[in-house]
Amino acid sequence: MGLVWFHAFRGRSIPEVFTVLKEGPEPNPLPTCKTKMNEAALGIDPPQVYAYLGRTYEECLDACLMLSLPAPGGQVSPFDTGGLVGHIGPVNGWDVDDRKIFLLEYTWPSDEIEDLVEAYPTLDQPAVNAYVQGAAPAHAGPHLVWTGRTPAEIWLPANEWPAWTWELRCAGRLPTGERIARWTGAPGMYPLLVEYIENNPDRADDLIELLDTYFEGGASDLHAAYVRGEVA
C-alpha cells in the first residue's frame, strides 16, 4: 500500500472548490476558528493548511483531496498538533511552554517524510496497513522512536488515531495540481462543478485531469476504498 496525504474541507462554493482543486486550499480565514486558536496556543505562525498521511477526518466534511507523495513543502509531525491543545493526553495538560517545546522537538521538514516513515510506522505492509486503519503503534510514544527528546506516552490506545498520525502543515496554500491522485465531494458537487466549467469554457482545460480523478462517494468512502487498496 502506497502512502498518500488526505486533506478534507467543507463549506465552500463551487467557484471556491474549483480554486482549491486547481491552486490548492488556503488556511481558514476566520479568526475565531478552532484551528487559529490552536495555532496561537502552540506558537504556529503563519497560519497553516493541514493534511494527514494515510488518514482523514472524514465524518463531517464536504470534500476531500488525496495527494501523492512526496510532501509539497511545509513541516511534518507524528501527531495532530491541535490535539496537543485539546485531546491528546498527557501533553494537553502541560503548560504552554512545554507543549511548544514538545512540538518543536517532533517537527521535521516535510521532504524528510519518506525517511521518517522508515522509522514509524515502517514501510512493511503489516505496519502500513495497521497505520492507515488507525491502529495504535507498538511504541508508547514518539520518544521511543526518536530518542533524546521529551518523553510523552501519547501513542497509548487511551488516545485515538490523531495522536499517532503524521500531520503535514503548509503555510499559504497546500499545492495540489498534478499531486491530486483522487478527490471527492458531497452529493451534487460534481455535476455543479461540471456545469460551472461549462459556463466558463476558458477554464475547462485546467480541470480535465481533475474531473478524471473524481471519486464518487464522499470522504469516508474514499478513505475506505484507499484502505482496501482500490484507489492509489
Side-chain angles (χ1 to χ4, degrees):
M1 176 182 293
L3 287 168
V4 295
W5 296 105
F6 285 94
H7 169 81
F9 58 96
R10 66 177 136 199
R12 298 182 187 272
S13 67
I14 293 303
E16 289 173 325
V17 171
F18 180 94
T19 300
V20 168
L21 293 173
K22 183 184 176 189
E23 302 176 12
E26 293 183 294
N28 190 323
L30 297 176
T32 57
C33 74
K34 186 176 180 180
T35 299
K36 286 275 197 304
M37 292 186 285
N38 289 339
E39 288 175 338
L42 293 168
I44 297 174
D45 186 59
Q48 307 285 301
V49 180
Y50 297 82
Y52 298 93
L53 188 65
R55 296 288 306 181
T56 180
Y57 286 104
E58 67 263 20
E59 291 85 2
C60 58
L61 296 153
D62 297 333
C64 184
L65 308 176
M66 194 173 98
L67 306 175
S68 62
L69 289 174
Q75 298 177 312
V76 293
S77 296
F79 44 74
D80 169 38
T81 53
L84 301 182
V85 180
H87 54 78
I88 297 178
V91 181
N92 61 348
W94 294 0
D95 66 36
V96 171
D97 289 339
D98 288 341
R99 285 199 302 250
K100 290 179 179 180
I101 290 169
F102 184 80
L103 174 57
L104 288 173
E105 287 183 342
Y106 293 99
T107 291
W108 292 270
S110 69
D111 60 8
E112 296 182 20
I113 187 62
E114 291 175 273
D115 293 330
L116 291 165
V117 296
E118 291 282 359
Y120 169 72
T122 72
L123 292 177
D124 60 277
Q125 288 304 302
V128 170
N129 291 343
Y131 167 84
V132 300
Q133 294 180 59
H139 304 287
H143 59 286
L144 297 174
V145 178
W146 297 280
T147 58
R149 294 171 170 83
T150 301
E153 295 186 342
I154 64 171
W155 288 355
L156 295 177
N159 288 318
E160 297 181 347
W161 67 263
W164 49 77
T165 295
W166 283 100
E167 176 191 87
L168 170 67
R169 306 184 295 278
C170 286
R173 289 191 182 274
L174 174 65
T176 51
E178 295 181 355
R179 294 182 180 276
I180 295 181
R182 293 286 191 277
W183 71 276
T184 189
M189 181 179 288
Y190 182 82
L192 289 175
L193 183 61
V194 172
E195 180 182 2
Y196 174 77
I197 294 170
E198 290 174 345
N199 291 332
N200 295 272
D202 57 314
R203 300 178 175 180
D205 290 344
D206 295 324
L207 273 230
I208 290 175
E209 291 185 7
L210 292 172
L211 297 179
D212 289 342
T213 56
Y214 175 72
F215 177 92
E216 185 175 3
S220 182
D221 287 346
L222 176 59
H223 181 258
Y226 165 70
V227 171
R228 294 192 300 266
E230 296 171 2
V231 296

